[in-house]
Amino acid sequence: MNKETYARRRAELVNQIGKNDIVIVATSPVKSRNGDVEYQFRPDSDFHYLSGFSEPEAVLVISPGRAQGEYVIFCREKDKLREMWDGRRVGLEGVIDTYGADDAFPIEDINDILPGLMEEKEKVFTTVGRYSDFDAQLLGWMNKIKQDKRLGKHAPYEFVDLNHILHEQRLIKRQDEIALMRKAGKMSAAGHARAMQVCRPGMYEYQVQAELECEFRKAGSPYNAYPSIVAGGKNACILHYTENEALLKDGDLLLIDAGAEFGCYAADISRTFPVNGKFSPEQRVLYDIVLEAQTAAFEFCSAGHGWNQPHEAAVKVISQGLLDEGLLRGSLEQVLETQSYAQFYMHRTGHWLGMDVHDVGDYQVDEVWRELEPGMVFTVEPGIYVNPADDVDERWHHIGIRIEDNILVRRDGYENLTEAAPKKPSDIEALMMSRR
Ligand code: GLY
Ligand code: MN
Ligand code: MN
């Protein structure tokens, strides 16, 4: 993305706040893992959306009408010694030249400078409640201004959650964002296909994970969008399983839920396939129901449909399928009314997708499910998970299946950003037959 993209995003945001207000957004803190080891740093999505800046220890300020320029970044200064040990820094001049800041200050000086930017302002739009240390700093700056009241200064009188306006903006993806998401989808699909090609009984889940993620990296994605779920056999019935250390057995299914991140945009794909390359009759029956549920949900993915319609369509197909196979009892109306399908399908059919895998944006407006609009991107991920129960025939036990794709709402329908990942049983079996 270029400087102009970020400038446009900031301008769009400024249009929605008052001329006496101020926006303050911090990037994510660096988290300690153990000893002198830190978790890999990932910038805060809101911060990155507005700045494109990826270094830790940074805060951005947008102060409409500020005489010396309204866009200010606090960041680390250049430092030869620290850069030799820890990596390059853009520095103060760099954020001005490369990232379009009007003004830049060392992050160490923020306590001295930021109160001055806040005084005389009315509302502070910020991501309150996200990072506790930063919240405490904000309150400290507020108090500092209040103490200076005698000098004629007045402190802002409201903190406003930035989420509401900024996240509505992030919800609708522009062409440049969609281009990144298409790439993330393609890279992720390549990883899933690779997993199918290498998987065989006797491998460990983490070994398939390594092949999958190697393909993400080879395709150009530096990080995963979230920790991969590589769940063989009964582990597939643990929705957010991430241990990934079990042996893969002949006759089991393998559920993989994994996505690459590219340019800070996520893909989120789930595929389920037989470890030995051939679905058993029971696996195939339930797989076909999930696939049919996804196809039914797709019918409601174009603009103008309600957010809940794909979910309702998927639930109906899954409920009917489970009734037909004797896993559920009663009429379809009863199953839907009592939600007895939730024994086997306990999550919703999707979520927004973007810079965050569970992306921002409201699902309801005035307590009504919102309408799908061009530029929205979301997942469609029906599943069936059979945990053992007395009223369920043993032959179904421990089967866990999820099929997940990423859908872009377009003016003329929808686009499946992840369709390159095989999911037709015949395609999966053919690909697995070709294993080397
Ligand atoms: N990967 C998490 C999810 O599918 O929502
Ligand atoms: Mn997923
Ligand atoms: Mn998902």
Side-chain angles (χ1 to χ4, degrees), residues 226 257-258 268-270 351 357 381 402 404:
Y226 55 93
D257 181 343
D268 180 9
I269 303 183
S270 298
H351 51 80
V357 62
E381 49 179 307
R402 179 161 63 255
E404 174 173 29

Side-chain angles (χ1 to χ4, degrees), residues 9-294:
R9 291 173 178 178
R10 292 191 299 273
E12 223 175 288
L13 176 61
V14 164
N15 268 338
Q16 304 201 59
I17 66 172
K19 60 181 185 335
N20 293 324
D21 298 337
I22 188 169
V23 174
I24 306 178
V25 185
T27 198
S28 334
V30 174
K31 290 205 189 74
S32 163
R33 179 177 182 271
N34 62 310
D36 290 334
V37 181
E38 288 158 355
Y39 282 104
Q40 183 163 41
F41 177 74
R42 158 66 157 76
D44 176 86
S45 295
D46 286 332
F47 178 89
H48 197 272
Y49 178 82
L50 292 171
S51 68
F53 187 53
S54 303
E55 288 185 20
E57 297 183 72
V59 172
L60 73 78
V61 177
I62 307 171
S63 175
R66 179 173 175 265
Q68 307 88 327
E70 65 180 26
Y71 179 36
V72 179
I73 292 188
F74 292 85
C75 66
R76 302 177 307 185
E77 286 184 280
K78 286 199 80 64
D79 177 328
K80 277 210 170 74
L81 183 67
R82 292 301 350 144
E83 289 186 62
M84 184 186 75
W85 281 88
D86 303 329
R88 294 187 186 89
R89 298 175 174 192
V90 163
L92 306 186
E93 278 173 30
V95 284
I96 293 173
D97 294 346
T98 311
Y99 295 93
D102 296 316
D103 219 346
F105 298 104
I107 189 75
E108 286 81 13
D109 295 348
I110 197 165
N111 288 329
D112 297 329
I113 296 171
L114 200 51
L117 296 175
M118 282 167 73
E119 65 191 21
E120 308 303 316
K121 293 292 181 183
E122 291 175 5
K123 295 178 187 157
V124 179
F125 285 82
T126 187
T127 53
V128 229
R130 191 171 304 168
Y131 306 120
S132 52
D133 287 354
F134 185 67
D135 287 349
Q137 258 184 311
L138 269 175
L139 292 177
W141 298 327
M142 196 77 154
N143 283 333
K144 187 162 190 273
I145 307 170
K146 284 184 182 163
Q147 281 159 13
D148 289 346
K149 216 165 153 184
R150 275 170 275 112
L151 307 175
K153 312 283 186 205
H154 88 71
Y157 31 77
E158 237 180 288
F159 281 124
V160 184
D161 195 356
L162 180 65
N163 291 3
H164 184 63
I165 49 176
L166 188 62
H167 292 179
E168 279 300 298
Q169 202 176 313
R170 277 178 54 191
L171 178 58
I172 307 295
K173 275 73 181 172
R174 303 281 190 126
Q175 283 310 320
D176 45 10
E177 298 176 280
I178 290 167
L180 293 175
M181 294 191 77
R182 267 195 199 107
K183 283 193 184 151
K186 280 214 175 90
M187 293 167 177
S188 306
H192 281 265
R194 173 82 187 154
M196 291 171 194
Q197 277 175 317
V198 301
C199 179
R200 62 199 66 226
M203 285 180 81
Y204 284 88
E205 291 166 341
Y206 57 80
Q207 291 174 325
V208 178
Q209 179 184 356
E211 296 278 353
L212 165 99
E213 294 179 0
C214 176
E215 198 64 32
F216 290 176
R217 301 293 93 80
K218 283 201 292 195
S221 153
Y223 318 107
N224 285 17
Y226 55 93
S228 302
I229 295 168
V230 182
K234 64 182 178 191
N235 296 335
C237 295
I238 302 169
L239 299 178
H240 288 161
Y241 174 82
T242 49
E243 289 162 34
N244 300 357
E245 59 190 16
L247 190 67
L248 294 168
K249 295 204 284 286
D250 200 352
D252 277 351
L253 287 176
L254 176 58
L255 185 160
I256 298 183
D257 181 343
E261 185 170 289
F262 184 64
C264 274
Y265 284 81
D268 180 9
I269 303 183
S270 298
R271 289 292 184 264
T272 310
F273 55 92
V275 168
N276 64 13
K278 182 98 187 103
F279 286 93
S280 75
E282 286 77 14
Q283 292 166 351
R284 179 64 193 266
V285 164
L286 297 189
Y287 188 92
D288 285 346
I289 297 170
V290 177
L291 193 55
E292 192 192 329
Q294 199 199 36

Side-chain angles (χ1 to χ4, degrees), residues 313-386:
V315 162
K316 216 164 166 181
V317 171
I318 288 172
S319 299
Q320 187 60 58
L322 294 173
L323 279 167
D324 293 345
E325 297 305 325
L327 282 104
L328 286 172
R329 286 163 202 93
S331 66
L332 180 61
E333 289 68 33
Q334 284 166 339
V335 167
L336 297 176
E337 172 71 24
T338 61
Q339 299 189 358
S340 59
Y341 59 80
Q343 179 182 353
F344 305 104
Y345 183 37
M346 59 296 278
H347 60 77
R348 292 190 53 84
T349 303
H351 51 80
W352 303 130
L353 183 73
M355 297 185 80
D356 296 316
V357 62
H358 288 179
D359 205 34
V360 295
D362 291 334
Y363 292 96
Q364 293 194 339
V365 176
D366 297 331
E367 294 178 35
V368 177
W369 295 112
R370 75 188 302 158
E371 260 188 25
L372 298 176
E373 296 170 40
M376 291 176 169
V377 181
F378 59 95
T379 66
V380 176
E381 49 179 307
I384 293 178
Y385 313 90
V386 189

